Amino acid sequence: MEQDEDPPVTTHPSSSSSSSQLNLPPSMNRPTVSLETQRINRLIHSTHYHSPSKPIYSDRFIPSRSGSNFALFGLEPSPKKDGKEDGPGSYAGMLRTALFGPETPEKTDVVTGFSPSKNIFRYKTETQRPVNSFAPFGCDEGPSVSRSPVKSPRNILKSAYKVRVAEDWNLGFVGLRLGLLFWVLDAPALQDDFYLNLVDWSSQNVLAVGLGSCVYLWNACSSSVTKLCDLGGDESVCSVSWALRGTHLAIGTSSGPVEIWDALRCRRIRTMEGHRLRVGALAWSSSVLSSGSRDKKILQRDIRSQEDHVSTLTGHRSEVCGLKWSYDNRELASGGNDNKLLVWNQHSTQPVLRYCEHTAAVKAIAWSPHLHGLLASGGGTADRCIRFWNTTTNTHLSCVDTNSQVCNLAWSKNVNELVSTHGYSQNQIIVWKYPTMSKLATLTGHTFRVLYLAVSPDGQTIVTGAGDETLRFWNVFPSPKSQSRESRIGASSFGRTTIR
């Protein structure tokens, strides 16, 4: 028998002859080498030597083919020996009985819902049963066994929960409803006028509300209410708007002047003239205040200047009822009763963009905080549509018919969603997912048009006001940290009180 030729080595006769020759250093002990040689031979010729105490393992994977359809490919499975069931099949039967009960059919895969007789190859599909239903302990498990909770689908409350607790200024704690806390405020003399903007929420978490000739401040942290001012006489409040820092409030009046108030000291610091008729829209951009009036004009006012206004924007042919600055303070969008949506830049006195697709007054205007140049607008009763525009490319993106008068729009700053409030004929509040514009929630509770809308500084809660003289607080958006959509959306009540 021929062997492969090895390199020349120095050999030493040994009592236990070996078929292998080893090239060893001269210093190694020969008896030890002899023992090592025997051990190597046993490993090489393992078929002739088996250790009585150690099992032999193999790296070969042998699958169980008990559920395979060999006839499909013209194959015949090997018969069972001695009429005994093979190990894997027996184990599978015991496991099936323990998991799913003794009456579960043997040849049906209860997890995937497929029968093994359909094909030799089987692939997993989506589980048709809840994961927590596959409990190995059946229905008789003890109280010490705990299951992992399964996330329930999003619960959306459809109406507000109102509780009247007191006819005073302070909101008292009333209770919980499905784990949510909400408020309802009575707001006597809250005007039912589509063209006004009487509610705004500051960055300091203070809500300003115009009621008749007065402005009230409600502190959301302390639930305290302060009467900021009373215009007196035949004057009435037509609009309110907080400066970005939340310390000063601009008030538009029915006769035309615009007043600036220090909210901390409850003191008027300036009155600016310029409009001849009521001022129903206000918008801040840093130190610049824009005011829109029934006289069809938009005045730009720099509160650092001694002049009442620094420029006049002309472009609308009817009352200006909507004003919003973009988040980068570069563009101003205005809506009017002439059904026009106009866009201005920081220095123009004429609109740089004109959109005429709406067929009713445009009061609802909102800039997206997520995409530069994305503008949303809503039309009145004869229009009922929400339209989206790209002011960077001057394109009309999409249109959604809401089947109801669009009174207000506001984007969430935490997620890519927006909320709209509506008037005739459904008086509802809708939360939308953008850009699909699928409805996430439809909230009801107001019995009149939902004319006023403001968002809390954390971006989670909105407040709505209506001609039914109530303010309602709704938790509609997630927090900026979690951005979880598992929380409920809806309304309940801390309490109900009167702002007066």
Side-chain angles (χ1 to χ4, degrees):
M1 181 177 181
E2 297 182 355
Q3 295 182 350
D4 295 338
E5 184 177 358
D6 294 331
V9 296
T10 303
T11 60
H12 181 78
S14 176
S15 58
S16 57
S17 61
S18 175
S19 61
S20 303
Q21 296 181 1
L22 302 176
N23 187 8
L24 303 173
S27 61
M28 290 190 65
N29 190 2
R30 292 303 174 176
T32 305
V33 172
S34 178
L35 295 177
E36 291 297 327
T37 304
Q38 295 178 16
R39 189 178 68 85
I40 293 173
N41 288 335
R42 285 199 300 269
L43 292 177
I44 295 175
H45 305 287
S46 59
T47 57
H48 304 287
Y49 177 81
H50 298 281
S51 174
S53 60
K54 296 183 179 180
I56 298 176
Y57 296 96
S58 173
D59 60 353
R60 181 184 176 191
F61 172 72
I62 304 177
S64 174
R65 307 188 186 279
S66 59
S68 302
N69 188 354
F70 291 92
L72 184 64
F73 296 91
L75 303 174
E76 293 295 335
S78 59
K80 297 180 180 179
K81 297 181 181 181
D82 302 331
K84 295 182 180 180
E85 189 177 359
D86 58 349
S90 176
Y91 173 76
M94 296 174 60
L95 182 62
R96 181 170 53 253
T97 302
L99 291 177
F100 312 115
E103 299 181 358
T104 304
E106 180 179 357
K107 293 186 178 181
T108 301
D109 192 334
V110 295
V111 176
T112 61
F114 289 96
S115 172
S117 62
K118 291 184 179 180
N119 203 331
I120 190 172
F121 302 111
R122 289 181 293 167
Y123 303 94
K124 285 186 177 181
T125 59
E126 184 179 357
T127 301
Q128 302 297 324
R129 294 173 55 182
V131 177
N132 65 329
S133 65
F134 299 107
F137 304 98
C139 299
D140 299 328
E141 60 186 12
S144 61
V145 179
S146 61
R147 298 182 181 181
S148 299
V150 179
K151 290 185 178 181
S152 58
R154 187 176 171 195
N155 189 1
I156 301 177
L157 301 181
K158 299 301 182 181
S159 60
Y161 175 63
K162 301 184 296 181
V163 178
R164 179 182 293 275
V165 292
E167 293 294 334
D168 56 21
W169 285 96
N170 296 322
L171 281 172
F173 176 78
V174 174
L176 301 172
R177 186 186 187 190
L178 299 180
L180 290 179
L181 305 176
F182 300 89
W183 310 296
V184 175
L185 298 178
D186 283 333
L190 184 62
Q191 297 188 58
D192 184 22
D193 193 326
F194 176 81
Y195 301 98
L196 306 185
N197 293 274
L198 297 176
V199 177
D200 197 22
W201 207 327
S202 77
S203 59
Q204 300 295 323
N205 211 12
V206 177
L207 185 69
V209 184
L211 300 178
S213 62
C214 302
V215 175
Y216 294 93
L217 306 180
W218 179 74
N219 190 311
C221 298
S222 62
S223 297
S224 61
V225 181
T226 304
K227 183 178 181 180
L228 179 65
C229 66
D230 187 348
L231 302 180
D234 296 331
E235 196 75 272
S236 63
V237 179
C238 295
S239 56
V240 294
S241 180
W242 285 100
L244 300 183
R245 293 184 179 180
T247 56
H248 293 78
L249 181 71
I251 303 174
T253 65
S254 57
S255 60
V258 175
E259 300 182 358
I260 307 296
W261 284 74
D262 185 336
L264 298 178
R265 298 179 176 84
C266 293
R267 183 171 61 91
R268 182 176 59 191
I269 60 177
R270 188 168 182 179
T271 300
M272 295 177 288
E273 304 288 342
H275 291 296
R276 297 179 291 103
L277 300 174
R278 69 179 185 183
V279 180
L282 296 169
W284 286 89
S285 171
S286 186
S287 60
V288 176
L289 173 64
S290 303
S291 60
S293 170
R294 181 177 270 182
D295 63 10
K296 312 172 188 177
K297 297 179 181 179
I298 300 173
L299 299 183
Q300 302 283 59
R301 310 172 187 272
D302 191 335
I303 60 175
R304 299 169 299 182
S305 173
Q306 294 183 352
E307 300 179 356
D308 287 340
H309 60 275
V310 295
S311 63
T312 302
L313 312 184
T314 57
H316 286 284
R317 298 182 178 181
S318 187
E319 179 174 8
V320 179
C321 52
L323 280 178
K324 284 291 171 60
W325 278 97
S326 61
Y327 282 86
D328 58 6
N329 294 325
R330 294 182 178 181
E331 294 178 299
L332 173 67
S334 64
N337 198 30
D338 55 359
N339 310 342
K340 301 296 188 295
L341 174 66
L342 307 181
V343 179
W344 320 72
N345 62 29
Q346 293 173 304
H347 309 291
S348 66
T349 57
Q350 295 293 322
V352 294
L353 297 175
R354 292 176 179 266
Y355 300 119
C356 306
E357 280 76 1
H358 286 291
T359 58
V362 182
K363 176 191 176 185
I365 301 173
W367 292 92
S368 171
H370 309 291
L371 185 61
H372 175 72
L374 178 57
L375 176 63
S377 61
T381 307
D383 183 79
R384 307 176 303 178
C385 292
I386 299 175
R387 296 179 182 271
F388 295 92
W389 319 85
N390 188 332
T391 61
T392 303
T393 60
N394 190 21
T395 55
H396 180 210
L397 300 177
S398 61
C399 175
V400 176
D401 189 349
T402 66
N403 297 314
S404 187
Q405 178 188 41
V406 183
C407 300
N408 294 278
L409 289 171
W411 289 87
S412 168
K413 65 180 182 180
N414 304 328
V415 290
N416 201 16
E417 299 172 4
L418 70 159
V419 60
S420 60
T421 70
H422 299 269
Y424 301 124
S425 59
Q426 302 179 35
N427 306 327
Q428 79 274 39
I429 302 160
I430 303 178
V431 183
W432 308 85
K433 180 69 176 179
Y434 187 82
T436 61
M437 290 306 287
S438 57
K439 291 183 181 181
L440 298 178
T442 299
L443 309 175
T444 58
H446 286 291
T447 57
F448 281 65
R449 297 181 297 173
V450 188
L451 298 175
Y452 310 112
L453 171 67
V455 183
S456 63
D458 64 3
Q460 300 183 64
T461 305
I462 63 171
V463 58
T464 56
D468 56 11
E469 299 185 346
T470 63
L471 297 175
R472 297 169 186 264
F473 296 75
W474 314 79
N475 184 18
V476 297
F477 296 129
S479 64
K481 293 183 179 180
S482 66
Q483 294 192 8
S484 171
R485 302 306 297 169
E486 299 297 331
S487 61
R488 299 180 181 93
I489 289 183
S492 183
S493 176
F494 262 136
R496 180 165 178 168
T497 188
T498 301
I499 299 183
R500 197 69 171 166

